[in-house]
Amino acid sequence: MKLPEFKDTISRFRFTQCCVGLGGCLCVSYAVWTPFWLKDGGLWTEWNKTKGDPVIDGVIFNALEAERVFGVLSFLLALSTGALSLVFALWWTSETVRSYSNTRSLLMARQALYPTTLLLLTMLSTGFFFLLSWSIFTYHHYEEIYEDFSILGSSYWLGALGWILLLVVESIVFVAEQAIVPDILEDLEKAVESWRVTCQPSRSFSEGCPHPAVSKSKLFPKRYMSVP
């Protein structure tokens, strides 16, 4: 484990997204498993409903099952997203991926993936599934909530904060990163081309061309790749 890296723009954006992800995942996890949504009830509370139309009762039952299923899915995704956020915040640095083979793979694929891209995908998935659960619960208890907002508990409001962090705040941070930090592929291609020019065809690789491990610092611009 290392101290968080803040030496360049991409590192600061990555750490910011990790903090947003951890905060959102903690809020989602707390909301899913605590009973402080509405009065003393939550996702796992058996709400008392008067018997009426079987069709209506069936709809209510299906809604309860749906919000629980989406809640469990969002919790499982929150675990993986939180783990990724910790890894990228405490163990990932700009020196993590600096291999020559990875450089060639990125150039052949004509695209680069970054830690922030992976975080965005997992955070959006977590926030989306929890938003479904939160919305179904809100719709199911709309009349009670509309009559008195004070009956809503900490789980409900922290859950709302969780999906706002994961869906809204994370998207804003990611878009800002894409606008501020340039793509690395253009600079990477130029660096590799200049490296190839230094290689003389008439000379062997070991004699005329620097070994990739030696010259790798020339191949990588300020922004590094995120996946090996």
Side-chain angles (χ1 to χ4, degrees), residues 58-104:
V59 171
I60 293 174
F61 177 77
N62 291 333
L64 289 173
E65 290 299 315
E67 67 187 29
R68 291 169 183 173
V69 170
F70 289 133
V72 171
L73 285 176
S74 63
F75 171 73
L76 295 177
L77 286 171
L79 292 180
S80 61
T81 302
L84 283 174
S85 299
L86 286 175
V87 169
F88 289 139
L90 302 178
W91 282 276
W92 189 278
T93 67
S94 57
E95 307 293 330
T96 301
V97 182
R98 296 176 65 96
S99 68
Y100 178 72
S101 60
N102 186 66
T103 302
R104 293 187 60 187

Side-chain angles (χ1 to χ4, degrees), residues 1-182:
M1 185 177 69
K2 300 179 181 179
L3 292 176
E5 186 181 61
F6 302 102
K7 69 179 183 179
D8 54 16
T9 305
I10 184 60
S11 299
R12 291 189 286 270
F13 271 110
R14 183 176 65 245
F15 184 77
T16 300
Q17 284 188 266
C18 290
C19 292
V20 171
L22 282 174
C25 290
L26 288 175
C27 290
V28 168
S29 300
Y30 175 85
V32 170
W33 297 110
T34 52
F36 309 118
W37 286 65
L38 186 68
K39 298 179 181 178
D40 294 326
L43 292 180
W44 308 101
T45 301
E46 295 294 337
W47 299 94
N48 294 324
K49 293 292 181 180
T50 58
K51 293 183 179 181
D53 190 341
V55 176
I56 297 177
D57 292 341
V59 171
I60 293 174
F61 177 77
N62 291 333
L64 289 173
E65 290 299 315
E67 67 187 29
R68 291 169 183 173
V69 170
F70 289 133
V72 171
L73 285 176
S74 63
F75 171 73
L76 295 177
L77 286 171
L79 292 180
S80 61
T81 302
L84 283 174
S85 299
L86 286 175
V87 169
F88 289 139
L90 302 178
W91 282 276
W92 189 278
T93 67
S94 57
E95 307 293 330
T96 301
V97 182
R98 296 176 65 96
S99 68
Y100 178 72
S101 60
N102 186 66
T103 302
R104 293 187 60 187
S105 299
L106 287 172
L107 291 177
M108 292 176 65
R110 303 296 304 169
Q111 61 183 355
L113 295 176
Y114 309 99
T116 51
T117 304
L118 181 58
L119 287 173
L120 175 72
L121 295 176
T122 56
M123 289 185 201
L124 291 183
S125 300
T126 305
F128 174 74
F129 281 111
F130 183 77
L131 176 60
L132 290 178
S133 178
W134 187 89
S135 300
I136 294 173
F137 182 91
T138 301
Y139 179 78
H140 183 56
H141 299 277
Y142 172 77
E143 294 182 358
E144 299 171 74
I145 296 174
Y146 183 77
E147 291 177 358
D148 185 8
F149 280 93
S150 63
I151 63 177
L152 295 173
S154 60
S155 300
Y156 183 89
W157 294 116
L158 284 177
L161 176 61
W163 67 257
I164 289 174
L165 287 174
L166 295 172
L167 290 177
V168 180
V169 178
E170 164 62 15
S171 298
I172 294 174
V173 174
F174 182 81
V175 171
E177 179 204 10
Q178 297 303 305
I180 295 175
V181 182

